[in-house]
Amino acid sequence: MSLLVLSNISKSFGPVNVLHHANMSVDAGEVVGLVGDNGAGKSTLMKIITGIYKADAGDITLDGQSILHLDPGERRAMGIEMIYQDLALAKQQDVASNIFLGREPVKSFLGIIPGMVDKRTMDRKAQEMIDRLGANLPAINRPVGTFSGGQQQTIAIARALTFDPRVVIMDEPTAALAVREVQSVLDLIRQLKKQGIAVILISHRLNDVLSVTDRIVVLRHGRTEANLTTSQTTMTKVVSAIVGGDDMEAAAAHESAG
Amino acid sequence: MSPQPNAVTKPGLWRRAQIKSEERLHVRLESLLVLIGLGVIMSFLSPYFLSVSNFLNILLATSTIGVLAIAATFVLGSGGLDLSLGSVMGLSGVAGAFVAVNLGLPSALGVAAGIGAGAAAGYINGKLVTRAFVPAFIVTLGMMGLARGLALVISDGRVIYGLPSALLYLGQGRPFGIPMPVIIFFTVVLITHYILAFTRFGRYTLAIGDNENAARTAGIDVATHRVILYTLSGGLAGLAGMLFMARINSGDPTAGISYELTAITAAIIGGTNLFGGRGSILGAVIGALIMGVLQNGLNLLAVQSYYQIMAIGAVLIFAVFIDQYQIRKAADT
């Protein structure tokens, strides 16, 4: 049985039907690529997993139990993490504040007054996580807006990994990165796989998807168009599924070249 | 990801002092220096400035504005805006006086009515902003008119005199020689500073002001949090109304006109970001004290009060200018 299963998910925004009975699943230690053209419904489907959007129909199960009724905070607590394309960082707050946002450890002040956020523990754990990722930040007690794009991405990744996730969703994690940084993101995905974490990778860079995933799910106009095993597929097949068969030779040649 | 070459230049003495001041005291160094500088100038200009009784006067006059500045800090820090602070304060004073004088009910009920009226106005603000999606600027501008009008309706446009002695004590009592409003103000400062600087509630407030979307994805119930903030803001305006009413010994429906101007100015001088994400209660207190010393000094120098209103407006624009200038400078380097 798969760890996370989405079955027959439908969603519309007003008159616009974004998803029609979309299906996908991911196992522990499996990396699944989610690809499709712009507007195919990839991001919407992921936001339905994290609970930011509510599905109109269909079910989501984690370990066989439905999580549809849980709010985003509760789903995070169940181990579903997402790294957003825009990173979703609070730029004026420091590193630890971002990593622990919504999950701050608390203690009591002078042993009497409850609810004091334990900033020292937060800073220590944040530093440990940053070190584990092999990143080099000049100082963790600075607003994250003062860091470079790559460093901010590290912080977003650290936030997703600090609370022992079971499923990590990455939305275009390599889109804005330099070549060397792309490689370290792909290495990180392989590392997560080894630790038994399920990874869903959304990307337009099909070369990245083909090199790091076990399976590739193709969304087209809100439907699950194909569910391909990466080792038995080719760039041409993936592109064909994305564009729906037309002009696939030219499109595939272009993707292979790029 | 990969280690990046990062040219870390050692910050200068001034920058280090700025960081220390913000980390340890939660106060911007500039505003602290402005307050001290203002005090030094005033003591040269007026022989009456430097005395214990005048200091208590300043604190007494600052307590009302200070409580409003704290309310402004919470709402601005969350990326919101509350323009109804002054009017809600006026409404609360009238509501409290009406219950205690016209209805002849116990003073405690008067206080509850005053603070309750403020909190109710704030709750309505919050609901309209989060559920009806009317911009905070419009909602609170509308509430500014609604609350002021309601205060005039309840009081029939007249000042309500003759408060019971228990209510008067709130504004004029002096246990240990310290005015009651000052004691209440400091108590509110301690509690709200703890909340904003050290609790999850405070962190969520600033995170929402910083990046609402990030707060939502972190599982924070942003709409509910905003409603609580606007209610808190209204409740604090109600408390300010009680302090003012008790101090002037009457429920005045025109109390607090343009006080939101002073309160927002004090909050911004104290380091609160006009667009949210950053804010400090102790900073707001320093900001309120700067406004208090400025007004007290201009009074001692017998400057007409009309000019004082002009001075506050100018200080507001100047404070935001300095803030934006520093942000632009930081972005350039």
Side-chain angles (χ1 to χ4, degrees):
Chain A
M1 190 179 61
S2 292
L3 177 63
L4 180 77
V5 181
L6 289 92
S7 37
N8 291 316
I9 300 288
S10 294
K11 174 75 182 172
S12 27
F13 295 102
V16 185
N17 295 316
V18 181
L19 294 169
H20 315 266
H21 307 290
N23 293 293
M24 78 175 287
S25 66
V26 57
D27 267 321
E30 188 186 28
V31 181
V32 175
L34 181 62
V35 298
D37 246 329
N38 291 334
K42 305 183 297 283
S43 291
T44 305
L45 190 61
M46 293 304 105
K47 284 179 178 169
I48 285 172
I49 300 180
T50 58
I52 298 294
Y53 293 155
K54 275 192 163 42
D56 297 335
D59 198 12
I60 310 169
T61 59
L62 185 73
D63 273 340
Q65 292 190 321
S66 176
I67 57 166
L68 269 187
H69 59 285
L70 301 178
D71 69 33
E74 291 167 332
R75 294 189 196 188
R76 276 178 98 198
M78 304 265 303
I80 298 175
E81 290 284 350
M82 177 153 175
I83 299 163
Y84 292 86
Q85 189 170 7
D86 70 354
L87 304 182
L89 293 171
K91 303 245 165 129
Q92 294 174 72
Q93 319 303 321
D94 67 15
V95 176
S97 301
N98 269 285
I99 289 179
F100 284 86
L101 183 59
R103 297 184 287 204
E104 295 85 351
V106 286
K107 58 181 185 182
S108 60
F109 176 55
L110 300 175
I112 326 162
I113 305 165
M116 186 181 201
V117 167
D118 191 351
K119 187 70 168 52
R120 192 174 295 174
T121 304
M122 276 167 56
D123 281 341
R124 184 170 49 77
K125 286 192 178 164
Q127 185 69 61
E128 281 172 14
M129 198 60 197
I130 296 291
D131 291 345
R132 235 174 79 195
L133 289 171
N136 189 12
L137 297 183
I140 67 161
N141 59 355
R142 292 212 327 221
V144 301
T146 62
F147 295 122
S148 75
Q151 289 169 331
Q152 291 188 20
Q153 175 128 27
T154 305
I155 296 162
I157 291 173
R159 177 176 56 191
L161 301 187
T162 297
F163 291 86
D164 298 324
R166 304 181 66 198
V167 181
V168 175
I169 302 164
M170 299 188 180
D171 189 358
E172 296 285 359
T174 54
L177 294 184
V179 177
R180 194 178 51 167
E181 291 170 333
V182 170
Q183 283 311 313
S184 45
V185 169
L186 298 182
D187 285 344
L188 177 78
I189 292 173
R190 292 188 188 102
Q191 210 180 311
L192 294 178
K193 176 182 164 65
K194 254 184 235 160
Q195 292 168 22
I197 297 170
V199 178
I200 300 174
L201 172 68
I202 300 179
S203 183
H204 276 113
R205 299 169 63 132
L206 297 180
N207 284 320
D208 294 351
V209 175
L210 282 165
S211 76
V212 80
T213 59
D214 301 305
R215 255 186 323 118
I216 299 174
V217 171
V218 182
L219 274 188
R220 182 172 147 73
H221 298 323
R223 291 188 177 81
T224 314
E225 180 82 12
N227 188 346
L228 307 162
T229 304
T230 307
S231 58
Q232 293 164 14
T233 193
T234 61
M235 177 72 85
T236 315
K237 282 184 189 159
V238 176
V239 173
S240 158
I242 291 174
V243 301
D246 304 329
D247 296 330
M248 66 179 182
E249 293 299 336
H254 177 79
E255 282 297 329
S256 299
Chain B
M1 295 302 94
S2 56
Q4 297 214 334
N6 216 301
V8 184
T9 46
K10 204 166 164 56
L13 187 65
W14 169 249
R15 182 74 199 123
R16 284 210 303 272
Q18 274 184 321
I19 293 170
K20 270 274 178 292
S21 166
E22 276 181 29
E23 275 183 3
R24 293 282 166 80
L25 303 170
H26 301 270
V27 169
R28 282 170 78 178
L29 187 60
E30 295 93 326
S31 29
L32 208 55
L33 293 180
V34 166
L35 179 60
I36 294 168
L38 213 52
V40 171
I41 293 170
M42 286 305 171
S43 33
F44 276 113
L45 289 178
S46 166
Y48 308 107
F49 181 79
L50 212 56
S51 68
V52 172
S53 70
N54 191 46
F55 274 18
L56 284 179
N57 263 338
I58 292 174
L59 286 176
L60 182 59
T62 305
S63 54
T64 311
I65 279 299
V67 171
L68 290 180
I70 289 170
T73 300
F74 273 102
V75 176
L76 287 174
S78 73
L81 180 66
D82 192 350
L83 294 175
S84 67
L85 286 171
S87 294
V88 169
M89 169 188 152
L91 170 65
S92 295
V94 168
F98 185 81
V99 168
V101 179
N102 296 25
L103 301 183
L105 293 168
S107 296
L109 280 182
V111 173
I115 296 176
Y123 180 78
I124 294 170
N125 280 339
K127 279 289 180 190
L128 287 173
V129 168
T130 56
R131 307 291 176 198
F133 303 101
V134 183
F137 177 83
I138 296 300
V139 168
T140 60
L141 190 64
M143 182 56 74
M144 185 188 209
L146 284 169
R148 181 67 65 197
L150 186 58
L152 289 163
V153 168
I154 292 173
S155 63
D156 204 11
R158 285 189 289 267
V159 176
I160 302 172
Y161 292 106
L163 299 181
S165 60
L167 267 187
L168 278 187
Y169 188 78
L170 205 63
Q172 301 177 357
R174 282 183 176 251
F176 314 108
I178 304 167
M180 262 317 266
V182 175
I183 294 173
I184 294 171
F185 174 44
F186 279 162
T187 311
V188 171
V189 168
L190 282 180
I191 296 170
T192 53
H193 178 65
Y194 181 75
I195 291 174
L196 187 61
F198 297 113
T199 68
R200 283 184 172 182
F201 183 88
R203 289 180 163 273
Y204 296 175
T205 301
L206 297 181
I208 289 170
D210 200 334
N211 183 346
E212 186 172 331
N213 202 32
R216 197 168 288 127
T217 57
I220 296 168
D221 184 348
V222 174
T224 305
H225 198 95
R226 282 199 192 282
V227 173
I228 295 172
L229 284 173
Y230 280 101
T231 309
L232 175 68
S233 174
L236 285 170
L239 177 64
M242 292 295 96
L243 296 179
F244 191 77
M245 171 197 75
R247 187 150 63 86
I248 64 169
N249 189 13
S250 60
D252 181 353
T254 63
I257 286 180
S258 89
Y259 271 36
E260 59 280 336
L261 171 66
T262 318
I264 291 171
T265 306
I268 288 172
I269 292 176
T272 297
N273 185 347
L274 181 59
F275 307 106
R278 184 158 43 82
S280 150
I281 299 300
L282 296 187
V285 172
I286 300 292
L289 283 173
I290 289 176
M291 305 311 279
V293 169
L294 199 63
Q295 269 174 334
N296 178 268
L298 294 173
N299 278 338
L300 290 179
L301 297 174
V303 175
Q304 222 184 9
S305 67
Y306 305 141
Y307 291 108
Q308 297 182 13
I309 300 174
M310 289 178 69
I312 294 168
V315 168
L316 171 62
I317 296 173
F318 187 68
V320 174
F321 163 72
I322 294 288
D323 199 35
Q324 292 302 310
Y325 175 77
Q326 289 191 337
I327 290 172
R328 271 189 296 130
K329 215 174 100 190
D332 283 347
T333 50

